[in-house]
Amino acid sequence: MFQNPICVALDTPDPALAAAMAGRLKGRVGMAKVGMELFYRTGRAGYEQVAAQGVPVFLDLKLHDIPNTVAQGLTSLMSLAPAPAIVNVHATGGPAMLEAAARAVDGKARLIAVTILTSLSDADIHAAGFDPAADTAQTAVKLAQLSKQSGLDGVVCSPHDTAAIKAACGADFITVVPGVRPAGADVQDQKRIATPRTARADGADILVIGRPITQAADPAAAAAAITASLEG
């Protein structure tokens, strides 16, 4: 589905640093993720500085509000130049919000929904009020099915949930997977992780990888090593 499945997470508030990293990794990664840290500080200017490097951008803002507010927010984001390749919302916003989001994006970008964050365990989601009889994987599948029914292109999900989501929603339903760490890398704040090769084997279409690439002594070499591990 994607020629290069690696999406480097540019989790920095510094647009010059993010743009330089995107330029350095062009041709080594398939996509760059711009998140809250950068967009909330610099907005359109920071986003466009990164996008100008020629790497497709996953704009990771995780919109979650009433349907009209989310739709209007996405309409504004679609005016970015160039438009992001992928944008996302929270699946827990419910069917009306998801459907309004899909109408607002109207095919201008891939629209995906966040299911269960990779930093959350079963105990965490139960404490937050999710069904105590369902674990993270079961909850993620339900949210993925709701997202598909609402007209979205895919979801963000843990590598632990990917195979079940593919089985429930089909091979063409996109899975964007954070919580991916090369063998031996620091787990940091993630709880449900996998190696790049395992995640791909379980059906991950896009692997979101940040610090193992961006904090490496040679980010381009680190990205190339991860790509090689997928092919070995």
Side-chain angles (χ1 to χ4, degrees), residues 181-208:
R181 292 288 186 273
D186 189 351
V187 172
Q188 295 159 323
D189 54 355
Q190 306 283 3
K191 292 182 180 177
R192 296 180 298 133
I193 66 171
T195 65
R197 190 169 184 178
T198 298
R200 282 288 280 176
D202 286 340
D205 295 307
I206 298 176
L207 308 174
V208 180

Side-chain angles (χ1 to χ4, degrees), residues 115-117 119-140 192:
T115 55
I116 301 296
L117 298 172
S119 60
L120 299 178
S121 65
D122 290 348
D124 292 327
I125 68 168
H126 297 156
F130 285 87
D131 183 355
D135 62 17
T136 51
Q138 292 167 321
T139 304
R192 296 180 298 133

Side-chain angles (χ1 to χ4, degrees), residues 3-8 21-31 55 213 218-228 230:
Q3 188 172 5
N4 185 328
I6 299 174
C7 175
V8 62
M21 183 63 69
R24 188 174 182 180
L25 293 170
K26 184 177 180 180
R28 299 287 191 177
V29 300
M31 192 171 297
V55 179
I213 294 175
D218 186 339
I226 293 170
T227 299
L230 300 175

Side-chain angles (χ1 to χ4, degrees), residues 55-110:
V55 179
V57 176
F58 165 25
L59 186 55
D60 179 29
L61 300 181
K62 303 181 180 72
L63 278 67
H64 189 176
D65 211 307
I66 63 172
N68 183 66
T69 298
V70 168
Q72 292 300 320
L74 286 166
T75 297
S76 295
L77 294 178
M78 291 303 99
S79 72
L80 292 167
I86 299 177
V87 291
N88 63 355
V89 297
H90 266 287
T92 49
M97 189 205 80
L98 295 172
E99 290 165 9
R103 289 193 297 271
V105 172
D106 191 29
K108 298 179 181 70
R110 302 288 186 96

